[in-house]
Amino acid sequence: MKQQQTEAVQAAIIYSTVNQFTNKHPAFTKGGIRALIFNENINGLAKAGAVVRIGRKVLIDETKFFAWVESQNQGGA
């Protein structure tokens, strides 16, 4: 049972490069995403765990990124 849960969680994780992410989600520009990643420690993106680094490769965890985006809207009208 525990293994099934782990496999389900792993299947739900989607990592994308900046280029892949912006092609898939055209509302976000490459420059905008790069700026968010550059300032990840200031804007809370790092705390959300949405940016993963493997060597020089930077990947975006889409689920965590959109959860972070949603959290940015909590103070809205």
Side-chain angles (χ1 to χ4, degrees):
M1 175 106 175
K2 182 83 169 165
Q3 184 176 2
Q4 289 175 336
Q5 290 174 337
T6 303
E7 289 173 3
V9 169
Q10 289 174 344
I13 297 173
I14 300 172
Y15 294 115
S16 300
T17 64
V18 171
N19 288 337
Q20 291 169 333
F21 186 86
T22 56
N23 288 336
K24 191 173 180 181
H25 307 286
F28 299 94
T29 64
K30 290 177 189 175
I33 293 296
R34 287 187 177 121
L36 289 172
I37 292 170
F38 183 79
N39 294 301
E40 67 181 314
N41 292 317
I42 297 166
N43 62 26
L45 202 54
K47 188 175 180 180
V51 178
V52 177
R53 288 185 171 77
I54 301 174
R56 291 184 57 181
K57 184 172 285 290
V58 177
L59 300 172
I60 300 166
D61 181 327
E62 292 190 19
T63 305
K64 291 180 181 177
F65 179 83
F66 285 113
W68 174 82
V69 168
E70 217 27 64
S71 74
Q72 300 305 296
N73 194 31
Q74 298 304 316

